[in-house]
Amino acid sequence: MHTPIVHPERTKVALTRLVAYMLLVATAIWLTACTSVGGFVITGETLDAAGKAFVQVGQTYNRELDAKRITVDQYRDWAVFARKFQQAYPSSVQLWKSSVAVNDAALTKKTNEIITSLVTELSRLGAVVGVQVLPGAR
Amino acid sequence: MPLALILPLIPTLVEMLGRIVNAAMNSGEATADQKARLAEIAKRLDETDSAVQALEIRRV
């Protein structure tokens, strides 16, 4: 039978590392958990602002088409996106409502991804008719 | 258990634990004001959605 040799310095280093890893993991868990009510509010407000911006851009496109200040091709480009937006928007609203109801940060993340892709395209099309789309603006 | 087996599982575990902590933190924490704010946003989203659906898209 042999007694294990204990090196106090090595044990200290190992313990320090263990504490550091535990702190790192705890911080990561805390950050993941931090999508609270505030996150739902921001996503909801952004979704609302995106919908309002869509209506504003759409009305401008209609006006500009009537005034013949944009081409039919430019309008067609808008119309293709607008139909997609009209289909995607109610689903995004529903997704947001579900994320609030079940308190799920992952669903909020999904909603954010959808909004981001819609707003990016909306911004491009808004620029054609001189409408600036600002996500988060009310 | 070898470290090589545990390491790839860490992000999943962190995500899982984070969601559990998140649910625990939020379940009792949403104040009446916050609930009212979320309900107000939900109502506004329904109105905005109606406006989105009502927007005329011309057939050109």
Side-chain angles (χ1 to χ4, degrees):
Chain A
M1 211 167 133
H2 66 277
T3 330
I5 304 160
V6 178
H7 297 283
E9 274 310 306
R10 277 192 198 168
T11 313
K12 204 174 156 187
V13 170
L15 273 175
T16 312
R17 276 190 189 158
L18 185 69
V19 169
Y21 289 141
M22 283 168 74
L23 279 175
L24 198 70
V25 171
T27 310
I29 291 168
W30 181 255
L31 285 174
T32 312
C34 275
T35 308
S36 56
V37 178
F40 294 136
V41 168
I42 293 167
T43 309
E45 292 290 7
T46 310
L47 190 57
D48 186 45
K52 286 184 167 108
F54 169 79
V55 173
Q56 193 195 349
V57 173
Q59 286 169 343
T60 310
Y61 262 93
N62 288 346
R63 255 199 325 270
E64 296 296 290
L65 182 72
D66 291 342
K68 296 187 179 4
R69 279 192 290 262
I70 55 169
T71 64
V72 169
D73 278 348
Q74 282 174 315
Y75 191 89
R76 204 171 284 139
D77 195 18
W78 156 255
V80 169
F81 166 76
R83 286 189 193 101
K84 270 195 271 180
F85 191 102
Q86 280 184 329
Q87 282 179 347
Y89 196 76
S91 319
S92 307
V93 170
Q94 205 46 55
L95 200 59
W96 180 83
K97 285 180 180 174
S98 304
S99 70
V100 172
V102 299
N103 202 12
D104 192 330
L107 276 182
T108 312
K109 208 174 145 193
K110 267 258 166 339
T111 315
N112 271 329
E113 284 166 10
I114 297 171
I115 301 169
T116 306
S117 80
L118 289 176
V119 168
T120 305
E121 188 64 2
L122 187 62
S123 299
R124 182 186 71 79
L125 290 159
V128 174
V129 289
V131 178
Q132 213 177 3
V133 178
L134 297 170
R138 289 184 70 179
Chain B
M1 207 184 227
L3 196 64
L5 281 176
I6 300 169
L7 279 178
L9 296 174
I10 288 176
T12 315
L13 285 172
V14 167
E15 171 83 24
M16 227 169 69
L17 286 170
R19 288 175 73 168
I20 292 167
V21 174
N22 182 27
M25 273 167 58
N26 292 332
S27 58
E29 266 197 23
T31 62
D33 274 0
Q34 287 170 331
K35 280 181 186 167
R37 178 94 197 268
L38 290 171
E40 184 264 322
I41 295 170
K43 191 171 166 261
R44 202 147 27 87
L45 281 173
D46 284 337
E47 289 164 9
T48 306
D49 184 34
S50 298
V52 165
Q53 300 309 321
L55 180 80
E56 182 196 5
I57 304 166
R58 312 261 175 87
R59 296 201 174 272
V60 288

